[in-house]
Amino acid sequence: MGYRVAVAGATGNVGRQLLAVLAERNFPADEIIPLASRASAGKEVSFGDDITLRCTISPNSTSPASIWACSPPGSAVSKVHAPRAAAQGCVVIDNTSQFRMDEDVPLVVPEVNGETIAGYDARNIIANPNCSTIQMVMALKPLHDHARIKRIVVSTYQSTSGAGKQAMDELFDHTRAIYMNAREEPRAFAKTIAFNVVPQIGAFDTDGSTGEEAKMVRETQRILDPEILVSATCVRVPTFIGHAEAVNVEFHDPIDEEEARELLSAAPGVEVIDRPFDGGYATPVDCVGEDATFVSRIRRDPTVANGLCLWIVSDNLRKGAALNAVQIAEDLIANHLVPA
């Protein structure tokens, strides 16, 4: 017997990718239950070669599921429905920020801290980290284990897909409008995204940081080490898929670029593309549709005693969201759950 898997937010960017990854990896599901809002009820979604119908999110629609992969547009939906599903016996893998800092909810990147999945049974909920956090800790975990990270300074270059389908549509529409000598007012972003970069992702806090920056700080500390100092500047850029990060890392112990390349090359889920010639590095275009986190431009930072600079890119819809959730589910069924 297999599992019944509900996918909440099946109409969204991550929801569609969740369905694709489940099919690609032959997840042992007897039934896939795609869920969406009432406005999207009855629409068709693809799962492998099959077409299935969506239903609305409700307590009744979650009850048959063994695993509930939740990726709705915002944490408010998860706040209401994830505990309901968990109370009915589903294990919820939530892709929103709602539960990430709850101490009794594991915040998991399987290659980094997969052992924490065992704590899911406190509330039957597991949190998927933020997309930009996932790719950064994937690259930093082996380096931290070797030389202990003291401080991280990261600047992100995040694609519009991280803000949803409407944001991607806005990039397309505004780019076309510029070529037609027309003007469109921004809707999904605070300023025009076409031919621009916007240094705001999320609302501003009283200290001047944005919500995305706060997520990266807190989640990195929770996943890797609470003693690590983290400074983040998160920027939305006019690309469709794939996040990039320029990361400066200061370590407690000595480490050089060759050691870093060896450690990263051996790390699960990480691929090093670091050749010192034109084009010898990974870009967001290269990572689209790929499962790996790519690390390039590995070099020493001469301004501190033990410092490195890295360039990290990953498909934010796959490893940054859907793939990470499916890997959590695979670990659950391998080590913790029995078929429904």
Side-chain angles (χ1 to χ4, degrees):
M1 294 179 63
Y3 298 83
R4 298 184 181 95
V5 180
V7 177
T11 61
N13 286 340
V14 175
R16 293 194 303 270
Q17 197 65 234
L18 271 166
L19 292 167
V21 173
L22 286 165
E24 289 170 12
R25 295 172 73 91
N26 295 312
F27 190 86
D30 280 347
E31 184 180 4
I32 299 291
I33 308 165
L35 307 174
S37 67
R38 286 179 174 84
S40 298
K43 290 184 179 179
E44 294 183 341
V45 289
S46 297
F47 178 72
D49 296 327
D50 298 324
I51 301 295
T52 57
L53 294 178
R54 298 189 187 92
C55 57
T56 58
I57 296 177
S58 70
N60 290 336
S61 64
T62 63
S63 58
S66 313
I67 297 171
W68 208 57
C70 188
S71 188
S75 59
V77 175
S78 290
K79 182 178 181 179
V80 174
H81 292 289
R84 291 178 179 176
Q88 295 173 16
C90 304
V91 178
V92 177
I93 303 169
D94 185 62
N95 198 56
T96 76
S97 61
Q98 179 61 41
F99 305 103
R100 289 176 185 161
M101 300 314 295
D102 291 5
E103 289 299 326
D104 55 353
V105 173
L107 181 67
V108 179
V109 180
E111 298 93 334
V112 176
N113 65 339
E115 71 281 356
T116 63
I117 291 174
Y120 81 93
D121 55 357
R123 289 173 62 184
N124 264 11
I125 299 174
I126 299 171
N128 220 28
N130 188 46
C131 49
S132 48
T133 303
I134 289 175
Q135 67 186 68
M136 187 169 76
V137 299
M138 282 284 293
L140 295 187
K141 169 63 172 175
L143 306 182
H144 179 59
D145 288 346
H146 179 79
R148 291 190 308 128
I149 294 172
K150 178 179 181 181
R151 181 172 182 261
I152 301 166
V153 179
V154 54
S155 297
T156 71
Y157 307 79
Q158 296 180 227
S159 66
T160 56
S161 59
K165 184 179 182 300
Q166 289 182 339
M168 298 174 74
D169 291 342
E170 183 165 319
L171 171 59
F172 180 87
D173 293 341
H174 284 206
T175 302
R176 180 176 58 185
I178 288 173
Y179 279 112
M180 297 176 67
N181 201 28
R183 179 176 175 81
E184 296 275 357
E185 291 299 320
R187 301 180 303 276
F189 306 102
K191 292 199 173 186
T192 298
I193 189 63
F195 298 98
N196 200 13
V197 296
V198 180
Q200 178 189 353
I201 303 178
F204 281 98
D205 203 346
T206 54
D207 66 354
S209 63
T210 65
E212 188 83 355
E213 291 157 359
K215 291 175 190 176
M216 288 200 73
V217 173
R218 294 195 298 261
E219 293 175 22
T220 300
Q221 291 171 335
R222 187 174 178 207
I223 293 168
L224 286 184
D225 187 335
E227 299 300 317
I228 296 174
L229 301 175
V230 184
S231 175
T233 301
C234 294
V235 182
R236 192 72 72 186
V237 298
T239 58
F240 288 109
I241 298 174
H243 288 355
E245 297 170 347
V247 185
N248 176 271
V249 191
E250 183 180 0
F251 297 87
H252 287 282
D253 303 320
I255 183 171
D256 62 33
E257 54 267 52
E258 285 306 318
E259 289 176 306
R261 289 189 189 96
E262 291 180 10
L263 291 164
L264 290 165
S265 296
V270 175
E271 185 170 336
V272 175
I273 300 178
D274 189 30
R275 298 180 291 273
F277 54 74
D278 292 351
Y281 42 80
T283 67
V285 170
D286 302 317
C287 77
V288 175
E290 300 292 335
D291 289 344
T293 294
F294 296 89
V295 185
S296 304
R297 302 295 317 282
I298 304 167
R299 60 203 188 278
R300 188 176 69 86
D301 175 8
T303 67
V304 294
N306 303 308
L308 292 174
C309 298
L310 311 170
W311 173 254
I312 304 169
V313 300
S314 188
D315 185 324
N316 56 294
L317 300 181
R318 289 186 71 89
K319 183 55 188 172
L323 173 63
N324 199 74
V326 173
Q327 289 174 312
I328 292 170
E330 290 171 340
D331 186 281
L332 276 170
I333 65 173
N335 299 304
H336 304 286
L337 296 183
V338 295

